[in-house]
Amino acid sequence: MAKKQFKAESKRLLDMMINSIYTHREIFLREIISNASDAIDKLCYLSLTDGSVGMKRSDFRIRVSADKENRLLTVSDNGIGMSREDMENNLGVIAHSGSLGFKNDLDEKSADKAKIDIIGQFGVGFYSAFMVSDAVTVISKAYGAETAYMWQSSGTDGYTVTECEKDGVGTDVIMHIKPDAEEDKYSEFLDSWRLQELIKKYSDYVRWPIIMTVDNWVERETGETDDKGEPKKEYVNEPQDKTINSQVPIWQRSKKSVTDDDCKAFYKEKFHDSEDPVAVIRVNAEGTVSYKAMLFIPAKAPYDFYTRDYKPGLQLYSSGVMIMENCADLLPECFRFVRGVVDSPDLSLNISRELLQHDRQLKVISTNLEKKVKSELKKLMDSDPESYEKFWNSFGTQLKYGFVSDYGAKKELIKDLLVYPNSFGEGLISFAGYVEKMPESQKFIYYAAADNAERAAHLPQAEQVLDAGFGLLYMTQDVDAFVVSMMGDWDGKEFCNVSVDDLGLETDMQKADTEKKEEENRSLLDFVKDKLGGEVEAVRLSHKLKTHPVCLTTEGEITLEVEKYFRSLPNGTGEKVTARKVLEINGEHPAFAALQKAYTEDPERAEKLAKILLCQAKLIADLPLDDSSEYAELVCALF
Ligand code: ADP
């Protein structure tokens, strides 16, 4: 019979797997057992909601058996089974195809690393069987089906699916273990002790019994007597079924009996992450609604986190039976990065997706979890800023968007969690942290907006604030403008955008001085505005500048950052959004003196100087010049 070919990407993965130098090939057993457990979950769930399945919870089990002579290792389950189509679809193609596309561009040299990354990060499940076997046979009968099917493959050359006989529903995965090679002693995977050890190590928490028939040497009398007339004894093997795993899911176990490392290992395996989470949250609630939860805050965002492919939500269990894989209603959108499980005996099993939203118990749980996640993050921020920064770099943008979306519905929840790079030079700081550092004399929370913190720090408008000994927050994302406007104030302290607002740093005397000087130079300033041909709304003598000659500020709602944002939108959709710009000139700067001189002696030169100053202000503000060669010519004309 003609063999069917694996889909292209599966074949690549299979190649990698078979030739893998991966030292943790023992994890194949965990992967196969975990599939068996999932299959039982599915049938068990059906049996609880549909009486006709005819199976009790206690009927379900996974059996692991080894046949040394024929080098066969078999994992059998009585779960939901697979139809012919299921086999074609699930075993002929890799499930997490995204993980492979991700690594496509790797060159030869990094190929070894890629193998480890793929296996470590995503857990390639069923295919891992080929790390230890040279042939795999899957015999399965789907629930409700009359016919059983056999899937066979000896690696990359393809697979066959044929009809076969099988008693009862479920799946047998039969692995033909590779022959021992010099360094690779595959026979260990046929050894009963070793298999028990592996099951304990990787699959102890699997909720269904994993049964092995193990040697059981018993003493018995032979019926004869020895020289002294005592009854003769002998030891005989009466193999016995033994449940190897403890079966209590990790989240059901007492906090004392589970270490932090256990939780982290569980997280990495279950949620396919190669890094430890930054925090583990355990909840054991009793009251109106009883439930246990184990939540994780990942350290890094999955590659698809900021795309539509990412499935947020927690796994929902009712007394150890999974009833929903991704229950998004358990946490607000802003915490969609949280992973974990929630298990409550109070939840009804045949709850539908729509009903879930209105379920009272679920509401109670979600309100509680929301608080827990928030307080855990706050704790992390205060006690371990380094980890918080790691978390923030992955999910900070999500929190900011969560803060501003839905008209600020989650404002109160999130406001303490927002942090910014700043001029204090101590990593990130929260608004509360900033306000705490404000001296009595400081009126505003100052911030500078630019593409990155460095640029923000070097804005001319920032200088006075820093010189006054006040701190600055650096805001570098488009969403920050909305964060500030949604926040309004912090403890009555208002925000001040150094590029827009009055810094409030001058005394009335100084202000009056500048205004007087401005009046004296009125005609010059009008001249400049006129020569700039409508590019700026006004030209003023600045209250903000110290060592720099010029800067651009804005009037009205649209700031330079907003203008830049709209400019960045595709197809010129943002063309019309322009900030009302003000050119501020430093009246104390030699450049201004030169301008004054030119104005009286050589107005043509004054016009050139005015244009140069505007270009400089634009460059400092990171705005594009309309005509950069004109600017170059203007500057050269000065030599
Ligand atoms: P994953 O389990 O991550 O989806 P696998 O490669 O391990 O990826 O398995 C692919 C699919 O094959 C599973 O999602 C499941 O649908 C099916 N499958 C594998 N093993 C079994 C089994 N023992 N019983 C029923 N279905 C199975």
Side-chain angles (χ1 to χ4, degrees):
M1 192 180 60
K3 283 198 171 142
K4 295 201 182 182
Q5 289 305 307
F6 286 103
K7 306 248 165 90
E9 47 187 11
S10 308
K11 187 165 153 33
R12 272 186 43 138
L13 184 69
L14 212 44
D15 275 335
M16 278 189 189
M17 196 70 93
I18 292 165
N19 304 313
S20 178
I21 45 145
Y22 193 60
T23 47
H24 287 95
R25 56 180 182 221
E26 64 191 35
I27 56 106
F28 81 96
L29 188 60
R30 168 192 89 190
E31 298 294 321
I32 301 298
I33 287 177
S34 143
N35 281 347
S37 168
D38 290 348
I40 295 178
D41 278 352
K42 287 177 194 157
L43 190 57
C44 175
Y45 175 63
L46 262 185
S47 73
L48 289 166
T49 49
D50 172 357
S52 66
V53 175
M55 285 182 82
K56 296 191 301 296
R57 204 175 160 172
S58 56
D59 296 335
F60 293 108
R61 47 105 203 111
I62 297 163
R63 178 175 283 280
V64 175
S65 48
D67 169 356
K68 272 190 183 159
E69 225 166 289
N70 297 306
R71 295 190 76 78
L72 295 177
L73 174 63
T74 304
V75 176
S76 310
D77 65 70
N78 51 358
I80 194 116
M82 278 180 277
S83 65
R84 179 179 209 130
E85 291 74 47
D86 291 338
M87 283 178 163
E88 300 262 0
N89 293 334
N90 299 332
L91 307 182
V93 67
I94 168 157
H96 304 290
S97 56
S99 60
L100 207 64
F102 196 52
K103 299 279 179 200
N104 262 343
D105 309 327
L106 288 166
D107 58 31
E108 283 297 308
K109 264 183 247 136
S110 49
D112 276 354
K113 187 167 182 313
K115 282 173 204 162
I116 295 168
D117 274 4
I118 291 176
I119 299 165
Q121 253 172 278
F122 302 96
V124 284
F126 175 73
Y127 285 87
S128 57
F130 286 100
M131 293 198 289
V132 299
S133 341
D134 46 26
V136 178
T137 304
V138 180
I139 295 176
S140 190
K141 192 188 231 174
Y143 167 70
E146 293 294 320
T147 330
Y149 290 93
M150 175 158 69
W151 180 98
Q152 276 186 302
S153 171
S154 47
T156 31
D157 63 337
Y159 63 89
T160 57
V161 181
T162 44
E163 252 184 65
C164 69
E165 292 296 313
K166 182 182 188 311
D167 292 334
V169 64
T171 304
D172 301 337
V173 177
I174 306 159
M175 293 161 272
H176 186 265
I177 301 297
K178 290 182 189 176
D180 287 345
E182 189 107 329
E183 283 176 23
D184 299 311
K185 301 279 179 261
Y186 293 99
S187 295
E188 63 173 316
F189 303 119
L190 294 163
D191 177 77
S192 175
W193 285 111
R194 181 72 177 127
L195 291 168
Q196 290 181 50
E197 192 179 88
L198 289 178
I199 292 169
K200 272 261 160 227
K201 180 167 168 192
Y202 293 111
S203 310
D204 194 51
Y205 307 140
V206 168
R207 286 177 309 284
W208 307 106
I210 302 169
I211 294 166
M212 283 183 72
T213 306
V214 296
D215 288 350
N216 176 42
W217 294 92
V218 289
E219 196 185 65
R220 72 169 185 205
E221 294 181 2
T222 59
E224 294 168 20
T225 49
D226 62 15
D227 304 345
K228 296 178 193 139
E230 300 281 336
K232 263 194 182 166
K233 288 180 183 161
E234 62 176 2
Y235 285 91
V236 288
N237 189 7
E238 290 178 359
Q240 217 182 21
D241 278 357
K242 181 176 156 199
T243 300
I244 314 296
N245 57 330
S246 73
Q247 289 174 62
V248 185
I250 186 165
W251 61 87
Q252 290 282 7
R253 300 175 39 151
S254 76
K255 286 191 190 176
K256 267 186 276 144
S257 70
V258 180
T259 66
D260 236 27
D261 284 345
D262 290 340
C263 298
K264 288 176 181 169
F266 167 76
Y267 162 78
K268 289 198 275 192
E269 189 213 315
K270 183 142 185 128
F271 298 101
H272 306 304
D273 195 347
S274 57
E275 264 185 65
D276 279 346
V278 290
V280 180
I281 304 169
R282 302 203 56 185
V283 189
N284 183 0
E286 265 158 47
T288 29
V289 184
S290 299
Y291 68 94
K292 292 197 167 69
M294 186 178 274
L295 309 186
F296 304 93
I297 299 173
K300 66 168 200 289
Y303 68 97
D304 61 354
F305 184 69
Y306 288 102
T307 74
R308 248 186 270 165
D309 292 341
Y310 177 79
K311 284 204 198 78
L314 302 175
Q315 290 196 345
L316 193 57
Y317 287 81
S318 177
S319 304
V321 181
M322 182 159 63
I323 55 176
M324 201 179 280
E325 173 99 47
N326 293 98
C327 182
D329 301 329
L330 279 167
L331 280 171
E333 174 78 8
C334 55
F335 289 158
R336 67 206 284 274
F337 47 82
V338 177
R339 310 260 68 163
V341 297
V342 173
D343 192 341
S344 169
D346 299 338
L347 290 173
S348 127
L349 276 171
N350 41 21
I351 203 162
S352 76
R353 243 158 239 275
E354 298 78 63
L355 277 177
L356 264 173
Q357 286 175 1
H358 307 288
D359 190 84
R360 193 185 59 80
Q361 278 104 334
L362 220 58
K363 278 245 158 68
V364 175
I365 299 177
S366 71
T367 312
N368 200 358
L369 291 183
E370 180 177 303
K371 279 192 217 130
K372 296 265 182 204
V373 172
K374 150 103 190 242
S375 69
E376 190 65 32
L377 284 172
K378 189 75 196 13
K379 200 171 92 194
L380 190 70
M381 182 201 270
D382 296 337
S383 65
D384 183 358
E386 223 169 274
S387 295
Y388 194 78
E389 189 164 341
K390 207 168 178 195
F391 155 77
W392 181 260
N393 291 336
S394 304
F395 303 110
T397 309
Q398 170 71 55
L399 283 186
K400 287 179 186 175
Y401 278 101
F403 180 81
V404 297
S405 60
D406 280 342
Y407 306 101
K410 293 290 171 194
K411 192 176 151 177
E412 286 307 308
L413 180 73
I414 304 175
K415 65 177 189 181
D416 307 305
L417 301 176
L418 304 177
V419 289
Y420 284 93
N422 55 78
S423 61
F424 297 111
E426 300 165 14
L428 304 169
I429 199 165
S430 65
F431 291 123
Y434 179 94
V435 169
E436 215 167 89
K437 285 180 185 282
M438 281 171 71
E440 192 101 14
S441 58
Q442 184 180 346
K443 276 188 279 188
F444 301 115
I445 298 171
Y446 293 107
Y447 69 95
D451 285 353
N452 59 56
E454 208 151 62
R455 265 183 191 281
H458 290 121
L459 283 178
Q461 295 95 318
E463 204 177 6
Q464 273 207 19
V465 175
L466 297 174
D467 270 15
F470 300 154
L472 256 181
L473 299 175
Y474 301 139
M475 302 207 167
T476 57
Q477 288 186 293
D478 298 326
V479 65
D480 289 324
F482 302 101
V483 170
V484 169
S485 93
M486 180 67 76
M487 190 76 78
D489 68 87
W490 186 276
D491 274 356
K493 307 272 188 225
E494 284 180 25
F495 288 84
C496 173
N497 179 345
V498 295
S499 305
V500 180
D501 305 315
D502 184 349
L503 301 178
L505 292 176
E506 283 178 314
T507 61
D508 289 348
M509 284 267 282
Q510 285 167 322
K511 254 193 193 146
D513 265 1
T514 317
E515 269 155 34
K516 192 161 152 254
K517 195 163 183 180
E518 201 166 64
E519 271 325 299
E520 288 163 8
N521 289 284
R522 177 57 43 211
S523 83
L524 166 59
L525 297 175
D526 287 347
F527 168 85
V528 173
K529 176 172 185 277
D530 188 45
K531 294 300 172 201
L532 297 180
E535 280 219 57
V536 294
E537 204 74 15
V539 178
R540 293 204 191 107
L541 286 190
S542 182
H543 300 264
K544 314 186 158 162
L545 294 171
K546 233 177 143 154
T547 58
H548 295 78
V550 277
C551 69
L552 269 188
T553 58
T554 54
E555 283 180 340
E557 288 289 297
I558 303 168
T559 62
L560 294 179
E561 296 316 303
V562 173
E563 178 180 318
K564 279 184 217 164
Y565 169 68
F566 278 98
R567 194 195 305 277
S568 72
L569 297 179
N571 303 331
T573 33
E575 282 296 298
K576 280 158 245 99
V577 181
T578 346
R580 283 163 40 203
K581 302 183 189 69
V582 177
L583 178 67
E584 294 201 9
I585 307 179
N586 183 348
E588 306 303 320
H589 198 279
F592 184 64
L595 184 65
Q596 278 176 315
K597 188 157 174 276
Y599 180 57
T600 46
E601 294 171 6
D602 180 359
E604 235 170 74
R605 183 180 159 82
E607 180 176 343
K608 284 182 185 149
L609 293 179
K611 285 182 175 161
I612 290 174
L613 287 176
L614 176 65
C615 287
Q616 291 193 337
K618 281 182 166 181
L619 287 173
I620 294 169
D622 201 20
L623 285 176
L625 299 182
D626 297 333
D627 186 347
S628 37
S629 60
E630 187 196 354
Y631 173 63
E633 274 167 32
L634 283 169
V635 174
C636 284
L638 296 181
F639 293 123

